Amino acid sequence: MSTSAKPIQDYSLLSDEECDLRINAAKEKLGDSCVVLGHHYQRDEVFKHADVSGDSLKLSSYAANSKAEYIVFCGVHFMAEVADILSRPDQVTILPDLAAGCSMADMANLKNVERSWQELNTVLNAEELITPVTYINSAADLKAFCGRHDGIVCTSSNAKQVLTWCFEKREKILFFPDQHLGRNTAFRMGIPMEEMVTWDYAQPMGGLTKEQITNAKMILWKGFCSVHQMFEPRQIDNFKKIHPETKIISHPEASFEVCEKADFIGSTEMILKTVRDAKPNTRWLVATELNLVNRLQEEVKSQGKHVHFMSPTVAMCSTMFRTDPQHLAWVLENLADGHVVNQIQVEESDKQMAKKSLDSMLALF
Ligand code: 13P
Ligand code: SF4
C-alpha cells in the first residue's frame, strides 16, 4: 500500500489505452470488493468497464442490494448520492469526477422548493392536499424534503406508478424539477392540460394566480433537461417525409410536443429493450442522449435495424461526459492501493428522510 493517494494530475496525460490496462489491473486486484456501475449515457471508453449498466432505477436498486464494499458510480452526482443513501453504512460510494452534475437537478434547490411550499401554503393547506414528488434527478436534500412531507421519489421508468400512488393519497402533486416528465406522465394518465400548471420558481407564487393553483392537479416545476430540449417535433416530421415507416421512441424528458408524436416513451433502459426486441428491418428515430443512440445503432445494425438520432446537432450530456478513463483509472488504482478518493457522503441530517422517500418508491415494485 502506498502512503498517500496519488493525485489526478498523474493521470491526466495518460492515453486511453494506458488507462484501459490500468483500470483492468486495478479491477482484477479489487475483485468482488468493488463494483463499477455505468449509466447508459456514459461514453464508450468508460462504459465498457462497467460491471453493471442501466437506467437510474436499475442502478439505484443494484446499489441498494450490492454486497461490494466499494461502489464506483460512472454517472452523475445525484446517482452517486442515491447509491450512498441506499447502500449499507460500511459501503463506500465513489464518483470518479466530482464535477459530473446534472443541470436539470440544479434547477431546483432546497431554498426555492421550501419557499414555493410556503407560498402554496398561503393559498391552500399544502400538507393536507399536495404530495411533493421529486424526480430522482435531484439533490439529496430535496429527496429529504419529500420524505419530511410524506412525498416520494420517481424515476423515468416508474413515474406513472408513483403518480398513481400519490393521487390515492392526496388530490394534488408538486412535481420537480422536470416539468416534461411530470406533464408527459400525467397527460397519459388522463389528466387534462387544463389541470396542469407550470410553476415558475423565479417568480413570486410561481407566476400563478390563486385560482390557477386551486384548480390544478399537477403543479410542474419549470425545470428541463438541456439535452432533451434539443429534440423538436419538426425533426420528426422532416425525417418521416423521407422514411414514413419510422418508429419514434423518446425519453419522457423530451417536450410534450415530441412525446405526442412518439410511438414509444420510456427510460433509457426501456428504449434499449424496445429497439432490441423489435422486428428486424425496422427503422427508429430516437430522442435521447447521443452515446446511447450511437451504441444502440452499432448493436442492432446486423439485424437490419436502422437507428437514427433525432436531432441534426450533437446532443450529448456534457456532465456525463466528464467521467473519462483517466478519472476512472485514478479512483480504481487508488482504491487498489487502499485510498478512497472522491467519496460521496450524503449529510446524515438528510440521509434518513431521503431514504424514506426512496424506500416509498422502491416499495411500489
Ligand atoms: P434514465 O433513468 O431513463 O436512465 O434517465 C436518467 C437521465 O438522467 C436521463 O436524462
Ligand atoms: Fe441531467 Fe439531462 Fe444529463 Fe440526464 S441528460 S443527467 S437530465 S443534464
Side-chain angles (χ1 to χ4, degrees):
M1 185 192 295
S2 66
T3 46
S4 59
K6 291 185 200 113
I8 180 65
Q9 289 77 4
D10 289 3
Y11 291 76
S12 23
L13 295 179
L14 293 183
S15 68
D16 287 1
E17 292 72 28
E18 176 67 11
C19 289
D20 280 350
L21 294 173
R22 293 170 73 158
I23 289 166
N24 290 337
K27 284 185 73 182
E28 179 92 23
K29 194 167 166 194
L30 287 159
D32 291 344
S33 69
C34 175
V35 65
V36 177
L37 306 184
H39 186 265
H40 292 306
Y41 293 166
Q42 290 292 300
R43 49 163 104 183
D44 291 352
E45 309 86 90
V46 169
F47 191 79
K48 67 180 173 193
H49 292 294
D51 300 305
V52 182
S53 61
D55 63 8
S56 307
L57 181 63
K58 182 173 163 191
L59 294 178
S60 37
S61 309
Y62 189 91
N65 297 310
S66 166
K67 292 191 173 34
E69 196 179 334
Y70 304 109
I71 300 166
V72 175
F73 214 128
C74 300
V76 287
H77 195 268
F78 72 81
M79 296 179 177
E81 280 190 335
V82 170
D84 180 53
I85 294 164
L86 295 177
S87 56
R88 297 186 316 269
D90 59 304
Q91 287 173 301
V92 170
T93 303
I94 288 167
L95 184 68
D97 186 341
L98 294 180
C102 165
S103 55
M104 175 212 281
D106 293 342
M107 289 177 189
N109 61 46
L110 188 60
K111 215 167 153 194
N112 55 26
V113 168
E114 276 184 337
R115 196 204 66 226
S116 301
W117 193 253
Q118 277 165 17
E119 288 177 340
L120 287 167
N121 255 310
T122 63
V123 178
L124 39 77
N125 184 341
E127 223 61 52
E128 209 171 90
L129 297 174
I130 309 179
T131 302
V133 180
T134 189
Y135 187 21
I136 196 161
N137 297 36
S138 58
D141 57 3
L142 290 183
K143 296 183 175 83
F145 174 91
C146 289
R148 283 198 299 280
H149 296 278
D150 216 8
I152 190 164
V153 178
C154 78
T155 73
S156 58
S157 52
N158 61 23
K160 185 176 169 205
Q161 292 91 323
V162 167
L163 297 197
T164 304
W165 178 86
C166 294
F167 285 129
E168 279 162 11
K169 282 154 59 93
R170 300 192 191 94
E171 65 181 53
K172 295 177 194 295
I173 288 173
L174 172 63
F175 191 96
F176 46 85
D178 186 25
Q179 58 176 304
H180 299 297
L181 175 63
R183 187 178 296 113
N184 285 325
T185 309
F187 185 77
R188 276 162 194 81
M189 290 169 66
I191 298 176
M193 283 300 203
E194 306 78 73
E195 292 181 11
M196 296 193 228
V197 289
T198 310
W199 180 271
D200 183 353
Y201 54 91
Q203 291 194 49
M205 294 298 279
L208 300 170
T209 63
K210 287 183 180 177
E211 198 190 358
Q212 284 174 307
I213 294 169
T214 317
N215 292 337
K217 271 177 92 75
M218 286 294 286
I219 303 167
L220 303 163
W221 197 262
K222 202 181 174 184
F224 59 89
C225 165
S226 48
V227 177
H228 289 85
Q229 75 160 2
M230 305 283 281
F231 304 114
E232 296 172 21
R234 70 189 164 95
Q235 296 161 354
I236 301 175
D237 298 339
N238 290 341
F239 195 87
K240 278 201 155 180
K241 274 184 207 149
I242 306 164
H243 298 292
E245 79 287 5
T246 307
K247 293 281 176 217
I248 312 298
I249 188 159
S250 175
H251 196 278
E253 287 175 17
S255 70
F256 179 75
E257 292 74 17
V258 166
C259 288
E260 271 284 271
K261 288 180 180 280
D263 299 288
F264 303 91
I265 304 168
S267 75
T268 54
E269 191 76 15
M270 180 274 193
I271 292 173
L272 290 169
K273 185 172 172 9
T274 307
V275 178
R276 281 172 181 153
D277 292 352
K279 292 201 181 84
N281 301 315
T282 43
R283 191 176 294 280
W284 296 84
L285 188 62
V286 187
T288 199
E289 208 264 355
L290 188 60
N291 280 293
L292 179 156
V293 180
N294 282 344
R295 261 193 305 272
L296 184 59
Q297 192 174 54
E298 279 303 305
E299 184 190 320
V300 299
K301 75 176 177 203
S302 62
Q303 301 158 20
K305 292 180 203 167
H306 306 280
V307 170
H308 306 264
F309 186 60
M310 190 177 287
S311 169
T313 50
V314 170
M316 243 178 7
C317 177
S318 57
T319 47
M320 286 275 182
F321 194 72
R322 290 204 70 109
T323 303
D324 55 18
Q326 289 70 24
H327 280 83
L328 186 56
W330 173 58
V331 298
L332 288 172
E333 279 201 339
N334 270 311
L335 268 188
D337 280 350
H339 301 295
V340 171
V341 289
N342 281 12
Q343 183 175 1
I344 298 299
Q345 280 179 296
V346 171
E347 297 276 343
E348 279 308 317
S349 53
D350 288 329
K351 231 175 186 173
Q352 200 190 345
M353 283 294 126
K355 187 167 180 338
K356 180 177 171 229
S357 60
L358 281 160
D359 282 344
S360 298
M361 170 185 83
L362 294 170
L364 294 178
F365 305 96

